[in-house]
């Protein structure tokens, strides 16, 4: 699932990395340009609710 | 003395299930999806009913009417992400099939989820309640629909295929507000 999302994100020009923290797996976008692009392409209520400003 | 039911005087005209899963339409849908022959009693008659093979698509469509049998409606990719992340389904013993989304804040449900579900002609019950598990106040959007229930199960089992089948625009809607994007992105900002 995460690998599929990672592949789809790469198709729209966002690089993400799948990580593992114990039993939890996730996908991480840590480059600022990619995060900004993510927020621009995918306007999310959840991100707006959590990110200050 | 034999009872009326045993000698068949009052057998009724309704369809009786031979499976514990009741659909009200004669054949349990999970069995129908497998394309098997299912014996059904109607009154005193016993016959077999050949159902169509699985046409309920795993992707982004859901059947919207039991009676018409062919009518399909496209599920909003936003709802796929939302239901996969936060959706729950429940089938009661009395034959009620429900799919619901719970949120602590009701704004997202009222502004995004409920209108999209109503646009698909689902009767949406939107209410707040106190959770017995954690004692918190929550909002819930609930839909009683067997078609949505079945689609929800198929979607959860084949989520990778569903994601792979989405177009780029649909994939953006799928990720939008889905529970897969959470606090990690906030920390990394």
């Amino acid at each position: 699932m995460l690998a599929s999302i990672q592949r789809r994100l790469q198709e729209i020009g966002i690089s993400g990395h799948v990580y593992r923290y114990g039993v939890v797996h996730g996908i991480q976008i840590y480059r600022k340009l990619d995060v900004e692009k993510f927020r621009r392409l995918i306007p999310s209520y959840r991100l707006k609710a959590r990110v200050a400003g | 003395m034999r009872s009326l039911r045993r000698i068949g005087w009052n057998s009724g005209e309704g369809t009786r299930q031979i499976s514990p899963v009741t659909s009200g339409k004669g054949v349990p849908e999970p069995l129908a999806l497998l394309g098997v022959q299912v014996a059904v009693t109607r009154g005193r008659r016993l016959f077999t009913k050949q159902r169509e093979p699985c046409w309920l698509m795993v992707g982004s469509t859901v059947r919207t009417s039991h009676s018409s049998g062919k009518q399909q409606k496209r599920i909003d990719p936003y709802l796929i992400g939302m239901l996969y992340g936060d959706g729950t389904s429940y089938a009661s013993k009395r034959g009620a099939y429900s799919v619901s989304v719970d949120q602590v804040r009701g704004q997202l449900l009222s502004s995004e989820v409920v209108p999209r579900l109503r646009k698909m002609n689902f009767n949406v019950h939107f209410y707040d309640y106190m959770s017995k598990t954690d004692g918190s106040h929550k909002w819930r959007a609930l839909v009683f629909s067997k078609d949505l229930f079945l689609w929800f199960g198929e979607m959860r089992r084949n989520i990778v295929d569903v994601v792979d089948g989405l177009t780029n625009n649909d994939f953006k809607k799928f990720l939008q507000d889905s529970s897969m994007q959470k606090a990690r992105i906030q920390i990394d900002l």
Side-chain angles (χ1 to χ4, degrees):
Chain A
M1 173 68 184
L2 289 174
S4 176
I5 290 178
Q6 182 186 27
R7 189 171 60 251
R8 297 303 300 267
L9 283 176
Q10 283 178 345
E11 288 178 9
I12 59 177
I14 297 172
S15 64
H17 297 272
V18 176
Y19 69 92
R20 181 186 175 194
Y21 184 76
V23 295
V24 178
H25 292 73
I27 186 165
Q28 189 179 34
I29 304 168
Y30 59 87
R31 287 184 60 202
K32 185 179 177 181
L33 289 176
D34 288 338
V35 173
E36 288 175 351
K37 188 172 184 178
F38 186 93
R39 292 185 65 192
R40 189 175 68 250
L41 289 176
I42 305 171
S44 169
Y45 173 82
R46 288 180 190 270
L47 288 183
K48 285 178 186 172
R50 284 177 168 79
V51 177
Chain B
M1 177 181 174
R2 291 187 300 175
S3 69
L4 295 178
R5 179 181 294 276
R6 288 188 63 187
I7 60 177
W9 283 4
N10 192 19
S11 55
E13 289 300 318
T15 301
R16 183 168 61 85
Q17 300 289 338
I18 60 172
S19 163
V21 180
T22 58
S23 68
K25 288 295 177 186
V27 177
E29 286 296 325
L31 296 180
L33 294 179
L34 297 176
V36 298
Q37 281 195 336
V38 180
V40 178
T41 61
R42 185 181 298 276
R44 284 181 293 173
R45 293 172 292 171
L46 180 68
F47 60 92
T48 58
K49 190 173 185 180
Q50 178 67 48
R51 291 293 299 255
E52 297 175 1
C54 177
W55 56 268
L56 181 67
M57 297 178 64
V58 174
S60 57
T61 56
V62 63
R63 189 172 69 172
T64 56
S65 172
H66 274 296
S67 57
S68 62
K70 294 290 183 184
Q71 190 178 359
Q72 292 187 29
K73 197 147 197 169
R74 185 172 181 274
I75 284 268
D76 194 313
Y78 181 94
L79 287 178
I80 299 177
M82 177 60 72
L83 289 174
Y84 181 75
D86 286 339
T88 55
S89 62
Y90 178 73
S92 73
K93 292 178 181 177
R94 305 181 73 174
Y97 295 85
S98 66
V99 176
S100 62
V101 182
D102 295 346
Q103 295 282 312
V104 173
R105 283 178 289 193
Q107 183 181 352
L108 187 64
L109 291 178
S110 63
S111 64
E112 300 286 346
V113 177
V114 173
R116 289 169 199 261
L117 285 171
R118 285 187 176 146
K119 194 176 178 182
M120 297 180 63
N121 293 327
F122 286 122
N123 186 17
V124 185
H125 303 268
F126 181 50
Y127 58 92
D128 60 332
Y129 70 101
M130 293 297 293
S131 174
K132 292 180 181 177
T133 54
D134 54 5
S136 63
H137 178 252
K138 290 184 178 178
W139 292 83
R140 172 176 288 172
L142 175 73
V143 173
F144 286 103
S145 168
K146 185 177 179 182
D147 299 321
L148 191 64
F149 176 89
L150 293 173
W151 171 85
F152 180 74
E154 285 291 308
M155 182 267 292
R156 292 200 60 161
R157 282 189 290 274
N158 301 286
I159 186 62
V160 176
D161 296 334
V162 173
V163 172
D164 287 340
L166 297 175
T167 64
N168 278 347
N169 283 333
D170 286 349
F171 178 70
K172 291 172 190 173
K173 291 180 184 174
F174 170 79
L175 277 190
Q176 183 184 356
D177 289 329
S178 79
S179 282
M180 284 170 287
Q181 45 160 311
K182 276 196 170 176
R184 258 296 158 198
I185 295 178
Q186 175 204 359
I187 293 169
D188 295 334
L189 279 174

